Amino acid sequence: MVFQLPLVGLLPDWLTLLISVVDLVIRVAVLGIIPGNRRPTTAMAWLLAIFFIPTIGLLVFLLFGNFRFSGRRRDQQQEVNARVRAALAESHDVDTTFPGPEWLHSAAELNRGLGSLPMVNGNQVRLIPGYEDAIAEMAEAVRGAKRFVNAEFYIVSWDEVTEDFFTALTEAAERGVEVRFLFDHIGTLRIPGYRTFLKRLKATKVQWRRMLPVLPVHGQWRRVDLRNHRKILVVDGELAFTGSLNLIERSYHRRAKRKWVELMARLEGPVVTTLNIVFATDWLSETDVLLEDQLEAAEQAGDVPAQVVPSGPAFANENNLRLFNTLIYSAQHRLSICSPYFVPDDSLLYAVTTAAQRGVDVELFVSEQGDQFLVHHAQQSYYEQLLTAGVKIYRYPKPYVLHAKHFTVDHEVAVLGSSNMDMRSFSLNMEVSLMLPGGEIVDQMRRVEDMYREVSKRLDLQEWRRRPMLRRYVDNVARLTATLQ
């Protein structure tokens, strides 16, 4: 079937025939091109868009269909991976041993194969669930810096809450500390006061760069929804922070006074070095400068093993998705997940529902209200399937947005970081996750989960099925866009 444009009847017969032939050739061609190296659901979404709205659909596909970075960025990532592997092969100072079941060691080996960073022992880890507390602790750490500060965040604002942090950065740079600051261009551009933020930043001695800038005038162009979603702060190579928090006041300057709930981790020990390698890779991508002199192994500071897992379009595989599925399928007793945007692909959905169906106690913490319309409604379209499988869903109450991203498996391992459990975080965003084996860190995470559960309302399957048909319709329509969000 060939769709005729209204204008076609006014054109000469030969031109009408040519347009029809070109239209047919495009449709036949995309059938064999688009499915290559894509999930079937993603390929089908693109094909439907092109078949129903050929010109616009094809144009949008050409702009957004490729979710891989340029060859230069991929080559840089491979170069860094090779250097890390070579350095670790020659080093005898890094303890990569840790206790735990065989499946956990298998997961650590998977991570090392995908992201090149090993499990390292001898760390101290403390979780920080307080929003302003995390920003205050980071500012204090920067004030103690002697050699360098490396910071990168997805969304950034210089406001009344982050003022102290930026003052600390500015003062550190003034006293001779090397201060490097990365922020995502599009993520931060959307925040009110962006121009003022740039003006204030330019007035300091801080070395700063936009991550993945979209500046066509300067020859910087790429798919605009490929973003760097990581949150990392490293001080002197001895102390680090990572997690879900963006560097902005808690309501994101929105009129609807939502309040974001986050979780950050404060880290000391060799894991700081591996986290700094991720920052150094991003700094290399934006500046072509490799910070090799800042990557010496940090001294042991405790007895917690930790492994950094970078992921994103610079890697050949979806590192975070493969890790998450591996750990979820390994769960025997209990699985607790917190994800603000739970829009899984089929593999993750099957892993979670299968865990519940084989008797694992599975709970999912989400927000009652969302900050992104399509994503929130797409997420809700999965609730009935999850509840039917036996997953317990807890909704964190308004006006809060539960933005923390973490999960625990049995009493064996905790994972936290910047990655959501959605297809954007698996395929389009640069993310960083932290895998933390051991009962000590799981106990810390359980206390956070207990706080969520205490204030949340558990979703009832029968009640959910009785929701209005219009809401169900909106959820299902949003779900169709999930693979393209």
Side-chain angles (χ1 to χ4, degrees):
M1 178 179 178
V2 178
F3 291 91
Q4 296 290 338
L5 298 175
L7 186 62
V8 169
L10 304 177
L11 299 175
D13 291 345
W14 67 269
L15 188 53
T16 300
L17 178 61
L18 179 60
I19 292 174
S20 298
V21 170
V22 171
D23 180 81
L24 180 61
V25 168
I26 289 174
R27 293 171 190 270
V28 172
V30 296
L31 284 173
I33 295 173
I34 289 180
N37 297 319
R38 289 183 177 84
R39 295 186 181 90
T41 51
T42 302
M44 184 59 69
W46 281 118
L47 288 172
L48 286 172
I50 292 172
F51 271 67
F52 279 105
I53 44 174
T55 304
I56 297 175
L58 182 60
L59 178 61
V60 173
F61 173 75
L62 292 175
L63 289 174
F64 299 102
N66 181 16
F67 62 87
R68 293 299 176 201
F69 281 149
S70 65
R72 182 183 71 87
R73 279 183 177 266
R74 293 198 302 270
D75 290 344
Q76 285 179 334
Q77 184 66 64
Q78 292 175 5
E79 179 186 352
V80 170
N81 290 350
R83 291 191 181 195
V84 169
R85 290 191 181 104
L88 290 171
E90 297 175 0
S91 175
H92 302 288
D93 299 328
V94 180
D95 179 8
T96 60
T97 63
F98 68 98
E102 185 176 347
W103 58 263
L104 195 52
H105 285 263
S106 177
E109 187 59 32
L110 169 70
N111 294 336
R112 184 167 184 166
L114 295 174
S116 296
L117 301 176
M119 180 74 70
V120 289
N121 215 333
N123 305 288
Q124 185 179 115
V125 181
R126 178 167 55 81
L127 301 183
I128 311 173
Y131 196 104
E132 287 81 6
D133 293 342
I135 295 176
E137 287 204 31
M138 289 191 292
E140 182 182 0
V142 171
R143 284 201 166 86
K146 298 179 176 62
R147 296 186 296 132
F148 67 85
V149 175
N150 293 333
E152 75 172 272
F153 290 86
Y154 174 57
I155 294 176
V156 175
S157 171
W158 195 326
D159 53 46
E160 66 276 11
V161 174
T162 63
E163 175 77 35
D164 191 45
F165 178 84
F166 280 105
T167 299
L169 280 185
T170 303
E171 291 173 348
E174 289 285 347
R175 66 174 184 268
V177 176
E178 294 182 21
V179 180
R180 298 173 183 83
F181 189 69
L182 294 170
F183 59 91
D184 186 81
H185 181 202
I186 301 301
T188 300
L189 177 65
R190 299 174 299 173
I191 301 300
Y194 175 71
R195 292 185 181 277
T196 302
F197 165 66
L198 289 186
K199 184 177 180 180
R200 296 184 73 177
L201 201 55
K202 289 176 182 178
T204 72
K205 293 184 178 180
V206 173
Q207 303 174 55
W208 61 273
R209 292 290 189 282
R210 303 175 180 91
M211 294 188 290
L212 303 177
V214 181
L215 300 167
V217 175
H218 300 286
Q220 295 175 319
W221 172 256
R222 57 180 50 84
R223 179 174 167 174
V224 296
D225 60 340
L226 296 181
R227 307 310 329 150
N228 194 320
H229 195 241
R230 294 167 179 160
K231 292 91 174 171
I232 297 172
L233 174 66
V234 178
V235 178
D236 292 339
E238 299 172 356
L239 176 62
F241 297 80
T242 193
S244 65
L245 183 138
N246 289 305
L247 203 57
I248 185 172
E249 64 88 23
R250 199 173 183 180
S251 69
Y252 283 53
H253 304 303
R254 299 186 182 184
R255 292 181 180 178
K257 287 299 181 181
R258 301 186 180 103
K259 296 181 179 180
W260 267 245
V261 176
E262 308 288 359
L263 184 65
M264 293 292 282
R266 182 186 186 277
L267 311 162
E268 294 181 71
V271 69
V272 174
T273 303
T274 56
L275 198 58
N276 202 29
I277 288 172
V278 179
F279 174 90
T281 305
D282 292 338
W283 187 259
L284 172 67
S285 295
E286 303 302 344
T287 66
D288 289 325
V289 176
L290 182 60
L291 307 175
E292 285 190 282
D293 60 329
Q294 294 187 2
L295 303 179
E296 66 275 10
E299 296 182 359
Q300 293 196 358
D303 56 3
V304 177
Q307 186 173 30
V308 173
V309 185
S311 58
F315 293 90
N317 299 286
E318 295 166 322
N319 299 357
N320 46 0
L321 175 59
R322 291 175 185 269
L323 169 62
F324 295 174
N325 280 340
T326 296
L327 295 181
I328 291 170
Y329 273 117
S330 300
Q332 299 298 311
H333 307 289
R334 181 174 173 181
L335 172 63
S336 297
I337 299 171
C338 177
S339 180
Y341 314 119
F342 187 82
V343 187
D345 73 339
D346 286 345
S347 69
L348 182 62
L349 181 63
Y350 292 161
V352 173
T353 54
T354 299
Q357 289 165 341
R358 58 188 170 84
V360 177
D361 183 6
V362 182
E363 59 184 358
L364 171 64
F365 296 97
V366 294
S367 291
E368 180 183 4
Q369 68 173 355
D371 65 309
Q372 298 184 29
F373 180 85
L374 282 178
V375 180
H376 184 65
H377 282 281
Q379 172 175 284
Q380 291 187 154
S381 74
Y382 292 90
Y383 288 174
E384 184 170 344
Q385 188 173 352
L386 292 165
L387 291 167
T388 301
V391 177
K392 293 179 288 188
I393 299 178
Y394 293 93
R395 296 199 294 176
Y396 206 89
K398 302 175 183 178
Y400 297 97
V401 175
L402 185 57
H403 192 250
K405 312 151 198 302
H406 52 84
F407 67 98
T408 52
V409 178
D410 298 339
H411 201 245
E412 301 293 347
V413 63
V415 176
L416 81 156
S418 67
S419 179
N420 299 303
M421 287 191 174
D422 66 355
M423 284 170 272
R424 165 166 294 282
S425 283
F426 298 146
S427 301
L428 304 179
N429 288 345
M430 299 173 70
E431 306 282 7
V432 62
S433 301
L434 194 62
M435 188 170 90
L436 301 164
E440 176 187 334
I441 189 66
V442 172
D443 286 341
Q444 285 194 53
M445 194 73 81
R446 293 285 190 228
R447 289 193 285 272
V448 174
E449 294 164 357
D450 291 343
M451 287 192 297
Y452 296 165
R453 196 181 305 103
E454 185 177 345
V455 299
S456 299
K457 180 181 179 181
R458 183 175 171 180
L459 195 61
D460 178 75
L461 175 58
Q462 299 308 318
E463 179 184 348
W464 184 249
R465 284 174 171 167
R466 290 193 297 269
R467 73 192 191 279
M469 285 300 298
L470 179 59
R471 288 178 57 190
R472 184 186 296 267
Y473 177 82
V474 173
D475 292 346
N476 291 338
V477 171
R479 183 169 179 160
L480 289 175
T481 70
T483 58
L484 304 180
Q485 288 172 7

